[in-house]
Amino acid sequence: MPACAAGRTVWPMSTIASLRTVAADRRLIATPPALAAAKSLVLALLSATLVVPAAGGFHGEALWLRVIVYPVGLSIVPVVWRIRGRRGAYPLAADAFLLVPFAFDACGNTLGLYGNVDNFDNLSHLVGTFALAGFAGALLDARTSDRLLLGIAAAGAAALFGIGIEVCEWTAFQHPVATGYGAYRDTIGDLGMDLAGALLGAAAVACRRSVG
């Protein structure tokens, strides 16, 4: 119970410490509302195509692959953080960076930008790997003070993700023999954008560390 001294309430130090611990725990377990809402919107855009194929722009665009990748990608950060026992503050920056490729892809498909805007696919790869470099950089930031090493690691992780996505795309889409060269050229172009995005993202991660 709090004590009274000179007309004011004096709380025991143990009680104050407990209140601070509870407040800190709430900050650790709270899901950022804006981020949760953005993830829900992205999943809703994907779900619209599942419920009403004509309502979304994903129909015929390896929908089955996106149905697997989207939920995994959007949930992996909070799930891993909880499995690791909620060590430290929630990795909000990493989770936000990882949302970007999915949000960009969802908007592009829903609005029909992939088919109606020239080179939108290349832009999607550039933005996606740039964000993935930021995701890797945010996770690795506390593990090294060497900004060059951080940038190289972020670029490598982003490039790995980009190559993996492109391999999945290659296996998901059926390329007829007659258009094989066009498909090959598209894949090489996507990989080029992935490389550019990874390098730009790594440079941004390294520069942010040097400024910080």
Side-chain angles (χ1 to χ4, degrees):
M1 294 293 293
C4 294
R8 57 196 181 100
T9 301
V10 179
W11 292 86
M13 292 303 296
S14 59
T15 302
I16 295 175
S18 298
L19 291 174
R20 288 177 177 174
T21 301
V22 170
D25 288 342
R26 286 180 178 176
R27 286 197 300 271
L28 290 177
I29 64 177
T31 301
L35 187 60
K39 288 185 177 184
S40 299
L41 177 59
V42 169
L43 291 175
L45 293 175
L46 180 65
S47 300
T49 299
L50 294 175
V51 178
V52 184
F58 293 91
H59 189 62
E61 297 294 329
L63 179 60
W64 65 269
L65 180 61
R66 285 177 165 85
V67 168
I68 297 173
V69 173
Y70 267 51
V72 172
L74 294 175
S75 63
I76 190 168
V77 171
V79 168
V80 171
W81 181 67
R82 284 175 172 81
I83 291 176
R84 288 173 56 84
R86 297 188 176 93
R87 296 180 186 175
Y90 183 77
L92 178 59
D95 202 11
F97 273 122
L98 191 56
L99 170 64
V100 172
F102 297 103
F104 204 83
D105 182 68
C107 291
N109 278 288
T110 302
L111 299 176
L113 300 180
Y114 281 99
N116 299 322
V117 177
D118 291 339
N119 296 316
F120 184 82
D121 181 56
N122 289 335
L123 179 62
S124 176
H125 280 267
L126 183 69
V127 171
T129 46
F130 183 92
L132 289 173
F135 162 73
L139 290 180
L140 299 172
D141 185 66
R143 297 180 177 274
T144 178
S145 59
D146 189 328
R147 58 176 177 158
L148 178 60
L149 179 61
L150 180 64
I152 292 174
L160 181 64
F161 280 119
I163 294 170
I165 291 171
E166 198 57 34
V167 169
C168 290
E169 284 187 2
W170 179 267
T171 56
F173 291 100
Q174 294 182 356
H175 303 289
V177 176
T179 59
Y181 177 72
Y184 174 78
R185 184 173 59 184
D186 177 71
T187 298
I188 295 302
D190 289 346
L191 289 174
M193 289 297 101
D194 290 338
L195 177 60
L199 292 176
L200 289 173
V205 167
C207 289
R208 177 184 174 276
R209 163 58 70 85
S210 64
V211 172

